[in-house]
Amino acid sequence: MQFGTAVSDYDYYTHRYMANVEYSEQELLRRDSLSKLREIGIEPYPAALYPVNATAARILAEYDAEKGNFQEVCIAGRVMSRRIMGAASFGEIQDESGRIQIYVKRDEICPGEDKTMYNTVWKKLLDIGDIIGIKGFAFITQTGQLSVHAKELTLLSKSLKVLPIVKEQDGKVFDAFSDPEMRYRQRYVDLIVNPQVKETFVKRAKIIATMREYFDEAGCLEVETPILQSIPGGATARPFITHHNALDIPLYLRIANELYLKRLIVGGFSGVYEFAKDFRNEGMDKTHNPEFTCMEIYVAYKDYIWMMEFVEKMLERIALKVNGTDEVTIGGNKVSFKPPYRRLPILEAIRQYAGVDVSGMDEEQLRATCKELHVEIEPSMGKGKLIDAIFGEYAEKNLIEPTFVTDYPVEMSPLTKRHRDNPALTERFELFVCGKELANAYSELNDPVDQLERFEEQARLKSRGDDEAMFIDYDFVRALEYGMPPTSGLGMGIDRLTMFMTGQTTIQDVLFFPQMRPEKILKKDGETQQ
C-alpha cells in the first residue's frame, strides 16, 4: 500500500502506527484500566455536556471565606497530582487558567453503599493526566490551602499516555519537558506540563488584536485574498507548487498578498489590510518557517515617510498593550520601541559598516567587491541581490535598536516607486530590530510602464537561474493601467514581531506547530522508519 493515496491515508497511518509502536508498561496498565472502567459501566469518553461554571484562577482570585462564595462550583481539568490517604484524598487539577487543589472524600462522592467511584475508580483506575469534572464547594483547609471539596466526581476523558510531570525540589527541576524537538513536535504535551508557554501565545493574540484595533481606527478594511494563485507575486521567493485537477493548471501557494491588495486600492478602497498565511519553499532556521503569518496594509494617498511614523506609533502601542512598557529584552539586548526610530539609508549603512561605497557600481564591480569582502554570492545574482548580500553580511547585525533602513537601489525593489530626489533609488524602508528584518514598506510603484519594465528585468534574472525572481503579472500591470492613487504599503512578519515582543529567540517558540522533519517511529524489532 502506498502512503499518500487520498482514500487510504488514515487507515494506512493508523495501521503503521499501531503495528510498529511498542507500548510501555505504564501505557499497557492504562489500557487495562480503560477496559476495566467499561466493564464496571463507566464510559471513559462520555458525550454529555459538562456544566463548568468556574476556573481555577477565578476561584483562587475571588474566593472570600466571609462571603462564603463559590459554594456550588463545577470545575473540570486534568489530574496533575494525587495524595490518597485511606478514605480521603487530596489532588490537583489543572484547567486553562491554572491549578487548584481538590479534596476528595469517599463518603462524600459515594454517599450510598456503593463505594466503587472512590475505591475502584479514583484510587485504582484513574491516572495522572486524566480529565475529570468536580462538583462541590470552595473552602480553606486546616493548613490554609484554598481547595475545592468534591461532592461529585466525573471522568471526562481517560489519558492513555504518561505525562512527563515536572517536579521541583530544593530549587531544582527534575524531569523537565525541555527538549526542543519533543516540545515542538508534541506541543500539546508542552502546553500541559509547561503552562508558562501559553503566555507567549496569549501575547501573540493580543499583538494581532491590537494591530486590528489600530488599523480599524485608521479607517482601513480587513480583507481576504487568494492563497492559491496562478502567479506567485509580491515578493522574491521560491514558491510551493501544486496542481488544480479540474482546471488542469499549476497553482502556487502565495508568497505574498501584495499585488491583490493593491488591486483593491485600484478598485477604490482607501485602506485595506490582511493577516495572511504565506508560504515560501526555502530553508528553515531559528527565524524562518516555510509557512508564516504576514500582515500587509496599503493606504491610499500616503508615502513611505508617513508609513514610518504610522509603524512607530503602532509598535509602541503593541509593546505597552502586551508588556506594559515600551522596553523589551531580546536576546540579551534591551530595546525600546518608543518613537522616533533611527533613519539610515542603505548605501550609507554599507559605507558605515562595510567600509565601501557601492553607489554607482555596476554588476561586475559589485561582484569584485563581494569577493574582496569575502561575501558569498551566486552566479544568478543581479545587482540588487549583490548589494543585499553585502548589507546582510556587514550591516544587519549592528542594527539593534529599531532602525529604518531606507532608500534602496531600484534593482533591489521591483515594486517600489522611484525616489523623488534620485531615480536610481526607491522610496522604501525595511525596519530592523536586533539585527533582524521586521517590516518592509514602500511608496508603491503605480506607473504601469515602469512596473512592466521592472517585471521584465526580473524575468531576465529568472532566465539566468534566479528561482526567487518575480514572475510577470500582466493582470496586475493591467490593473495599474486603470490608475492606482499614490499609495504606501507595509508588510510585517507576525511571527518575528511576536518573538521580539515576548523575548523569544527562535520562531518555533511562537508557532503552535512549527514545520518539523517527519517523525521516526520505533518498530518492535528496534528499527526505525519515517
Side-chain angles (χ1 to χ4, degrees), residues 105 179 197 216 233-234 245 297 302 327 409 499:
K105 192 174 181 181
D179 178 68
V197 170
D216 291 345
N245 290 335
I297 182 170
K302 307 299 183 184
E327 288 190 344
M499 289 173 60

Side-chain angles (χ1 to χ4, degrees), residues 209-225:
T210 303
M211 294 175 80
R212 280 197 168 100
E213 178 184 65
Y214 185 69
F215 299 150
D216 291 345
E217 288 175 4
C220 298
L221 178 71
E222 184 171 9
V223 299
E224 294 179 285
T225 61

Side-chain angles (χ1 to χ4, degrees), residues 159-173:
S159 172
L160 300 182
K161 286 286 188 182
V162 181
L163 282 178
I165 297 297
V166 181
K167 304 180 183 69
E168 291 187 32
Q169 185 175 354
D170 300 327
K172 296 181 179 180
V173 177

Side-chain angles (χ1 to χ4, degrees), residues 20 58 73 81 162 189 205 233 276 278 354-355 484 528:
N20 290 326
R58 184 172 163 230
V73 167
S81 69
V162 181
V189 179
D278 292 341
M484 185 176 82
T528 60

Side-chain angles (χ1 to χ4, degrees), residues 225-252:
T225 61
I227 294 175
L228 288 174
Q229 302 180 351
S230 58
I231 297 175
T236 53
R238 183 183 301 134
F240 286 94
I241 305 173
T242 186
H243 185 82
H244 191 289
N245 290 335
L247 296 177
D248 193 24
I249 60 171
L251 288 175
Y252 303 86

Side-chain angles (χ1 to χ4, degrees), residues 249-267:
I249 60 171
L251 288 175
Y252 303 86
L253 294 180
R254 70 178 166 203
I255 57 176
N257 52 346
E258 175 173 344
L259 302 188
Y260 283 94
L261 292 174
K262 287 196 282 193
R263 285 173 169 93
L264 297 179
I265 297 295
V266 171

Side-chain angles (χ1 to χ4, degrees), residues 315-342:
L315 291 177
E316 182 184 32
R317 180 190 285 200
I318 290 171
L320 292 172
K321 185 76 171 182
V322 172
N323 296 313
T325 174
D326 59 55
E327 288 190 344
V328 298
T329 300
I330 306 168
N333 297 302
K334 184 169 282 189
V335 172
S336 173
F337 283 101
K338 186 176 182 62
Y341 304 162
R342 179 188 183 194

